[in-house]
């Protein structure tokens, strides 16, 4: 299920006018909280979903589309991730037609970013193709007591694995305390800086990947519909009279 929240006169704005952001990361990484911080309101609940959630809103005159993709288990390979979740990660791009400007890779700063987690992240990012990295930025979520720490400290703490991720994102890293609304301005400024560096271009996924994903999604929906139909027929059969 996809959720839309239309604020103000957003219907009068063209899709091209929106800054489109996709939130990616492991389960319980803080994606929901970062989405709420960006939009300035509680749009994403605390519960982790297996389907994409999309929100539209206006922040300081800037119209935004924020898509929260389902998270994966941080220590699990993409092979172990349910097909539905992997399809929804790809679907997150389609919800930002013609494509998202920025992918925010959310990581909980207090969690150990091991080599195993690095491989899991790399495998899940590979679902989107190699060109995705030029549109990526790492966002560390931290508690109030770690507010004064900068992203370089987190990268240094977890060593080689996190340095790899930082380099893949061209050292575009930022840390936020999601509960502190004052940090929204700086985060949005960094996002817009990345968009400018990319010449305001959006990420365009290979058409083949999107097409295969849509076909698999339709097949799954059709199987679900048929199962429901069979169940309804079985439940509607008259019960045999007892002897």
């Amino acid at each position: 299920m996809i959720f839309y929240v239309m604020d103000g006169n957003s219907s009068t704005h063209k899709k091209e006018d929106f800054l489109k952001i996709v939130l990616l990361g492991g389960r319980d990484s803080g994606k929901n909280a970062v989405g709420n911080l960006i939009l300035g309101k509680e749009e994403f609940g605390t519960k982790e979903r297996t389907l994409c959630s999309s929100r539209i809103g206006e922040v300081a005159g800037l119209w935004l589309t924020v898509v929260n993709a389902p998270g994966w288990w941080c220590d699990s390979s993409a092979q172990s991730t349910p097909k539905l979740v992997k399809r929804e990660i790809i679907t997150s791009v389609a919800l930002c037609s013609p494509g998202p400007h920025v992918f925010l890779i959310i990581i909980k700063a207090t969690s150990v970013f091991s080599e195993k987690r690095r491989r899991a992240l790399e495998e899940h990012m590979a679902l989107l193709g190699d060109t995705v990295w030029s549109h990526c930025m790492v966002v560390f979520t931290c508690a109030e007591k770690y507010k004064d720490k900068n992203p370089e400290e987190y990268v240094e703490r977890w060593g080689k694995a996190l340095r790899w991720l930082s380099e893949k994102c061209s050292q575009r890293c930022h840390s936020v305390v999601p509960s502190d609304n004052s940090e929204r301005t700086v985060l949005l400024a960094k996002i817009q800086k990345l968009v400018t560096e990319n010449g305001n271009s959006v990420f365009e996924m290979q058409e083949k990947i999107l097409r295969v994903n849509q076909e698999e999604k339709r097949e799954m929906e059709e199987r679900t519909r048929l199962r429901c139909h069979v169940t309804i027929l079985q439940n509607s059969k008259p019960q045999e009279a007892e002897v």
Side-chain angles (χ1 to χ4, degrees):
M1 182 180 298
I2 302 166
F3 300 89
Y4 293 97
V5 175
M6 309 298 290
D7 293 324
N9 297 315
S10 58
S11 59
T12 64
H13 288 72
K14 298 178 181 179
K15 289 182 179 179
E16 293 79 8
D17 297 333
F18 284 72
L19 172 60
K20 295 176 280 291
I21 302 167
V22 173
L23 308 174
L24 297 172
R27 294 174 64 89
D28 302 319
S29 60
K31 294 189 291 87
N32 294 3
V34 172
N36 292 336
L37 172 66
I38 291 172
L39 291 169
K41 58 180 71 174
E42 294 292 320
E43 294 288 10
F44 299 105
T46 57
K47 185 179 179 180
E48 185 71 45
R49 295 183 178 275
T50 55
L51 300 179
C52 289
S53 296
S54 179
R55 299 290 191 273
I56 295 173
E58 180 190 13
V59 178
L62 180 67
W63 286 97
L64 305 169
T65 296
V66 181
V67 176
N68 190 8
W72 57 82
W73 292 110
C74 293
D75 293 323
S76 297
S77 67
Q79 187 176 359
S80 302
T81 298
K83 289 183 179 180
L84 173 60
V85 172
K86 288 188 283 191
R87 280 198 298 269
E88 286 297 299
I89 290 173
I90 296 173
T91 298
S92 68
V93 175
L95 294 181
C96 294
S97 179
H101 293 95
V102 175
F103 293 89
L104 299 184
I105 301 174
I106 314 300
I107 294 177
K108 187 176 291 186
T110 53
S111 298
V112 176
F113 193 78
S114 62
E115 174 60 20
K116 188 175 184 179
R117 291 193 172 188
R118 186 204 67 78
R119 287 197 303 270
L121 187 148
E122 181 180 16
E123 290 176 7
H124 286 90
M125 295 298 294
L127 296 170
L128 303 173
D130 294 335
T131 59
V132 68
W133 294 106
S134 61
H135 292 270
C136 289
M137 183 170 80
V138 180
V139 176
F140 298 106
T141 57
C142 56
E144 182 71 28
K145 62 181 179 180
Y146 299 113
K147 184 175 182 178
D148 295 331
K149 287 185 177 293
N150 58 51
E152 289 76 17
E153 290 182 74
Y154 296 123
V155 173
E156 186 62 29
R157 176 192 296 175
W158 302 124
K160 185 177 179 180
L162 203 49
R163 281 199 299 273
W164 174 90
L165 178 58
S166 176
E167 290 169 5
K168 291 292 285 186
C169 297
S170 301
Q171 283 76 47
R172 292 185 294 267
C173 299
H174 185 63
S175 59
V176 297
V177 177
S179 59
D180 186 351
N181 289 329
S182 67
E183 300 201 2
R184 181 184 310 112
T185 302
V186 177
L187 177 57
L188 284 174
K190 288 196 173 185
I191 290 172
Q192 289 178 292
K193 182 175 183 290
L194 171 54
V195 174
T196 301
E197 290 172 353
N198 284 330
N200 295 315
S201 65
V202 299
F203 170 74
E204 296 184 26
M205 182 178 283
Q206 295 179 17
E207 186 63 32
K208 181 180 179 181
I209 297 177
L210 285 174
R211 186 170 62 252
V212 170
N213 190 60
Q214 283 297 105
E215 289 173 356
E216 290 180 350
K217 194 170 184 177
R218 280 196 295 269
E219 289 173 1
M220 181 197 69
E221 290 172 349
E222 180 62 17
R223 288 195 298 269
T224 301
R225 188 188 68 79
L226 288 174
R227 282 198 300 269
C228 290
H229 182 64
V230 170
T231 300
I232 291 171
L233 287 177
Q234 289 175 339
N235 291 337
S236 63
K237 287 182 179 180
Q239 299 294 322
E240 293 183 3
E242 293 185 2
V243 178

